[in-house]
Amino acid sequence: MEHGYVPGASLPVTLLIRRPCCNSNEAEMCTPEVSKQIRDACKDLVLSDDQLRLVMQRLSDEINRGLSRQTHDDATVKCFTTYVQDLPNGTEKGNFLALDLGGTNFRVLLITLDGQNFDMKSKIYAIPQSLMLGTGTQLFDHIAQCLALFVKDLKLQNEVLPLGFTFSFPLTQHGLTQGNLVRWTKGFNCSGVIGEDVVALLEEAIDRRNDVKIDVCAILNDTTGTLMSCAWKNQNCRIGLIVGTGSNACYVEKTRNVECAIPGNYADHKSHMLINTEWGAFGEGGVLDFVTTEFDRAIDENSINPSKQLFEKMISGMYMGELARLVLEKLVNAGLLFGGKYPTDLRKRGKFFTKYVSEIENDPKGKYTNCREVLAELGLRNVSDQDCENVRYVCSLVSRRAAYLASAGIATLLNKMGENNVTVGIDGSVYRFHPHFHDLMTAKITELQNYKFDLMLSEDGSGRGAALVAAVASQRR
Ligand code: GLC
């Protein structure tokens, strides 16, 4: 037993009324209950439908401000034009390179499209924190180096392959092959890049090496890639959503509503355009204060971008584990969990990983195998069922709130589009690995709006989506 922790020492009264469990069939009936004190301590994390409807109304206002030329510059939800106006039709062909920067890892891919067949070779390269926080030149030199190694490995250095660059940060675009960085998000903060055209920075880094030839056909957001990748299989896909390290969505908008698009560009020649909402920034300026909690404020204060990306901080995987840890810490401090004792490690920021939330919630009701494994990893052994149930309760509050906020976002977009049978293509580690995220979202979106819709896991949007955007763009050329 560690840290003098006596299992069940100061357990809430509920333990006393627990019936003994005899076998697994009864496990469900015998699940310990979470006490009123714990529920009270966490109550701000529970969002009512009325609150979610207000979130929707405010997000809708912010989206309109982003789209309108008069208010775009001051808007928090920017709704950037992507210049992606054609969805794939399944006939795209060719070999394409793709770069994917913006999640936990950096990837280089070679994608072969041939009708409905698809082949992919890829390599993952770690981006050390020193690079995420170093200079832009170091970052782009590293990207160019990985690209060159990959291309040489595949003996393609003498070909000029079209490349799609999935760069998952907010960009102001004036065309498909130009994108100026507006701000870094998700733990990146490289100097000398904000305001610059990242395609030019990539091309300069490739030129500095002078050992490979690349034709950058398109720069795109991961939400765009996700939408394209899903649309390749499903013609109804009109929204792309990421719930991973960060959170963001893009959707198909009528070009006539895209007032902030540069006049005279080809934006106005086609009826629709993909809009990258960058909804992660929603909440800046106080519009989400009515739902933010003490835990959100602590996350924000300790982040490298305080008072920015507030909606993202309530939803995405970069913050979910830490949110749960902060709630657990509060319960321990109040003597409501683990007998008031907490391993020192768990008092440190970042020690409760987001994947733990999914693992703990993956335990069947009344069983705590994963939960005990996670707690053991953190130095807590012999934990009572009651404590495990409480930990699971905290995880489920945090993930449920994230799923509901993302649902409010999708419901807002569905209302805005005003169409039935829209498919939402979704990617990202939280959506992919959390056991209930999909079901929670399906139920809540249904409650919050009236259009029929589908949620579909979008396979590898950042890779295949980049190839599809590059393919559509090179066809246009
Ligand atoms: C952040 C980025 C956004 C991206 C999202 C998901 O919100 O700003 O561009 O789409 O993370 O990766």
Side-chain angles (χ1 to χ4, degrees):
M1 215 165 295
E2 309 202 20
H3 309 281
Y5 167 57
V6 182
S10 72
L11 285 179
V13 244
T14 41
L15 186 72
L16 303 174
I17 55 166
R18 218 184 82 202
R19 284 159 295 149
C21 279
C22 314
N23 60 45
S24 59
N25 290 342
E26 288 180 24
E28 202 162 304
M29 286 168 56
C30 300
T31 306
E33 275 175 30
V34 174
S35 71
K36 179 163 182 321
Q37 287 140 296
I38 290 187
R39 288 178 193 275
D40 280 351
C42 303
K43 67 175 184 331
D44 290 350
L45 288 164
V46 180
L47 297 182
S48 67
D49 281 359
D50 282 348
Q51 284 173 307
L52 290 170
R53 289 210 165 86
L54 190 53
V55 169
M56 286 170 64
Q57 195 184 316
R58 295 197 171 171
L59 179 59
S60 169
D61 292 347
E62 297 292 325
I63 288 175
N64 289 333
R65 282 169 52 75
L67 288 173
S68 150
R69 195 174 304 171
Q70 285 78 38
T71 44
H72 175 80
D73 287 348
D74 297 327
T76 51
V77 180
K78 288 287 186 195
C79 289
F80 292 111
T81 47
T82 63
Y83 294 90
V84 176
Q85 299 198 272
D86 300 287
L87 297 183
N89 58 19
T91 63
E92 292 73 21
K93 277 198 166 94
N95 286 324
F96 300 89
L97 285 168
L99 298 179
D100 173 18
L101 181 76
T104 355
N105 295 305
F106 165 64
R107 291 186 312 158
V108 187
L109 308 98
L110 175 73
I111 292 135
T112 309
L113 296 172
D114 183 8
Q116 280 298 303
N117 297 319
F118 158 80
D119 186 45
M120 183 172 100
K121 294 187 178 66
S122 70
K123 203 151 181 195
I124 297 181
Y125 302 86
I127 299 265
Q129 240 214 341
S130 55
L131 266 186
M132 289 167 76
L133 302 173
T135 68
T137 313
Q138 287 165 336
L139 176 71
F140 283 94
D141 280 345
H142 180 70
I143 294 176
Q145 185 190 20
C146 297
L147 175 64
L149 288 173
F150 182 82
V151 166
K152 286 180 195 167
D153 255 10
L154 294 175
K155 307 211 173 357
L156 291 169
Q157 64 272 31
N158 296 322
E159 292 186 34
V160 187
L161 287 178
L163 179 142
F165 185 12
T166 306
F167 183 81
S168 307
F169 301 95
L171 294 177
T172 308
Q173 289 191 242
H174 300 301
L176 253 188
T177 53
Q178 193 211 336
N180 296 67
L181 180 66
V182 175
R183 67 160 63 148
W184 287 112
T185 53
K186 299 177 288 194
F188 279 74
N189 197 10
C190 303
S191 58
V193 190
I194 292 176
E196 300 296 318
D197 173 13
V198 288
V199 175
L201 295 181
L202 173 67
E203 287 173 339
E204 283 160 24
I206 293 171
D207 288 349
R208 277 197 287 279
R209 303 182 54 87
N210 200 21
D211 56 352
V212 285
K213 306 180 196 85
I214 302 297
D215 175 22
V216 183
C217 286
I219 183 157
L220 59 140
N221 190 256
D222 50 356
T223 55
T224 306
T226 297
L227 194 160
M228 293 292 276
S229 178
C230 181
W232 185 61
K233 291 215 166 138
N234 179 328
Q235 296 293 313
N236 288 337
C237 186
R238 295 279 179 281
I239 297 178
L241 167 69
I242 300 282
V243 191
T245 309
S247 178
N248 185 18
C250 74
Y251 72 105
V252 177
E253 180 57 281
K254 295 176 195 73
T255 308
R256 67 177 141 85
N257 293 341
V258 185
E259 277 187 40
C260 59
I262 311 274
N265 217 315
Y266 58 81
D268 34 13
H269 302 323
K270 296 218 170 177
S271 58
H272 290 85
M273 183 184 287
L274 259 62
I275 294 296
N276 169 16
T277 65
E278 287 291 332
W279 78 17
F282 179 39
E284 293 171 21
V287 292
L288 280 178
D289 287 0
F290 73 104
V291 281
T292 49
T293 64
E294 60 193 287
F295 314 111
D296 300 303
R297 288 185 284 278
I299 292 269
D300 185 47
E301 278 159 23
N302 290 314
S303 67
I304 65 165
N305 52 353
S307 73
K308 301 270 188 295
Q309 301 293 115
L310 299 180
F311 195 50
E312 175 159 270
K313 285 173 180 161
M314 297 169 89
I315 297 177
S316 78
M318 181 152 174
Y319 311 96
M320 190 180 280
E322 179 62 6
L323 269 172
R325 191 193 69 81
L326 288 168
V327 184
L328 294 175
E329 191 169 49
K330 174 177 173 174
L331 296 183
V332 175
N333 290 342
L336 296 169
L337 192 66
F338 306 143
K341 297 271 182 342
Y342 211 26
T344 36
D345 239 17
L346 247 182
R347 293 211 177 263
K348 294 189 194 137
R349 280 207 296 274
K351 287 287 178 182
F352 195 90
F353 304 134
T354 295
K355 68 170 184 176
Y356 292 163
V357 174
S358 292
E359 285 168 8
I360 289 171
E361 289 191 65
N362 221 347
D363 275 331
K365 203 167 170 7
K367 299 263 179 208
Y368 305 101
T369 321
N370 292 347
C371 186
R372 287 205 162 89
E373 256 171 45
V374 166
L375 293 175
E377 241 174 76
L378 294 166
L380 268 169
R381 283 167 216 287
N382 305 319
V383 183
S384 68
D385 279 6
Q386 180 69 62
D387 272 343
C388 288
E389 184 61 30
N390 294 341
V391 170
R392 200 224 307 261
Y393 175 69
V394 168
C395 291
S396 71
L397 282 184
V398 171
S399 61
R400 183 175 287 254
R401 186 185 68 153
Y404 287 176
L405 288 171
S407 302
I410 293 300
T412 308
L413 294 180
L414 290 170
N415 281 341
K416 178 143 187 50
M417 295 165 81
E419 278 172 48
N420 264 316
N421 302 320
V422 167
T423 297
V424 185
I426 316 185
D427 206 347
S429 47
V430 173
Y431 178 79
R432 207 174 257 275
F433 300 121
H434 187 279
H436 313 305
F437 219 81
H438 172 92
D439 292 348
L440 287 169
M441 282 193 70
T442 305
K444 193 49 81 179
I445 298 170
T446 308
E447 266 174 70
L448 292 176
Q449 56 79 53
N450 295 322
Y451 294 101
K452 292 206 184 84
F453 66 94
D454 269 313
L455 305 184
M456 183 176 148
L457 180 69
S458 175
E459 293 290 337
D460 201 21
S462 303
R464 187 166 62 195
L468 286 165
V469 176
V472 170
S474 52
Q475 268 170 17
R476 193 207 306 267
R477 278 180 181 178

